[in-house]
Amino acid sequence: MTRITLLDPSNATGTTGEQLSQIKTAFGMVPNMFKAAANSPAALSSMWGSFGALGNGRLGAKLGEQIAVSIADRNNCNYCLAAHTGLDRKAGATAQEMVEAQAGRSTDARTAAALRFAIKVVNERADVQIADVAALRAAGFDDEEIVEIIAHIALNLFTNYLNVALDVPVDFPGVKLTRAAAA
């Protein structure tokens, strides 16, 4: 039994109904996370709007999903780990790249820098140092991309907390948590 009602999309009306219809078109189904968020039209609008905005950002889908899995593993979010692992494979990542991203690593120096930064932001509750931001710049990220990385972190904290706190049932193929990124 979940800790919150999962809204039945067929009963949704107005903006919530429209957004759930868009989500169904995008995913081929309405994932349980969105059904949980739909209990609050404001929360659903925030979440879905953020996915749309960041999906059109400069970082690209693959890096966005790699950030998501590294944060999901750190936060023990089975739901997001499963969902984003599947989405990242659709974005062109290999299975090995996903295992590495889950652990906060990458053989690509730019991706590795972004993942290290994301994990540090989560672990340190955003209390990072000038050197941490400088490391992103040294890896080739500009100010727009640095802010976008933080936006991805914030969105993933929101979705992780929603799914973990409310024990949202995972409706994607499962992926084992490792907490490797916590080390």
Side-chain angles (χ1 to χ4, degrees):
M1 176 177 198
T2 63
R3 297 176 184 170
I4 195 162
T5 302
L6 300 178
L7 187 75
D8 181 345
S10 66
N11 295 331
T13 60
T15 302
T16 299
E18 292 170 19
Q19 289 173 332
L20 291 175
S21 178
Q22 293 167 4
I23 292 164
K24 183 175 182 179
T25 298
F27 290 93
M29 63 178 217
V30 178
N32 286 338
M33 176 183 74
F34 292 106
K35 293 176 186 177
N39 282 285
S40 165
L44 180 63
S45 290
S46 174
M47 183 185 290
W48 185 236
S50 293
F51 274 107
L54 293 173
N56 292 318
R58 288 195 31 222
L59 293 182
K62 183 177 174 181
L63 180 54
E65 300 299 344
Q66 288 170 304
I67 290 169
V69 298
S70 69
I71 294 171
D73 195 71
R74 175 66 186 98
N75 286 325
N76 288 328
C77 185
N78 288 297
Y79 193 98
C80 288
L81 183 59
H84 291 289
T85 295
L87 291 171
D88 205 14
R89 288 189 183 149
K90 289 181 182 179
T94 66
Q96 185 58 38
E97 285 175 315
M98 292 312 301
V99 168
E100 292 297 310
Q102 183 179 347
R105 298 184 303 260
S106 175
T107 57
D108 176 72
R110 184 170 152 85
T111 300
L115 297 177
R116 277 192 305 273
F117 181 77
I119 291 166
K120 186 155 192 185
V121 168
V122 172
N123 287 344
E124 302 298 323
R125 298 181 193 258
D127 190 18
V128 296
Q129 305 302 309
I130 291 172
D132 299 313
V133 177
L136 285 177
R137 285 197 178 94
F141 291 99
D142 62 22
D143 288 349
E144 180 181 346
E145 293 166 315
I146 292 168
V147 171
E148 196 172 309
I149 289 169
I150 293 171
H152 274 277
I153 295 165
L155 173 58
N156 284 285
L157 288 174
F158 174 26
T159 60
N160 288 181
Y161 288 3
L162 177 87
N163 290 309
V164 174
L166 300 178
D167 196 24
V168 175
V170 179
D171 49 358
F172 291 92
V175 176
K176 185 176 175 14
L177 291 164
T178 65
R179 292 293 308 265

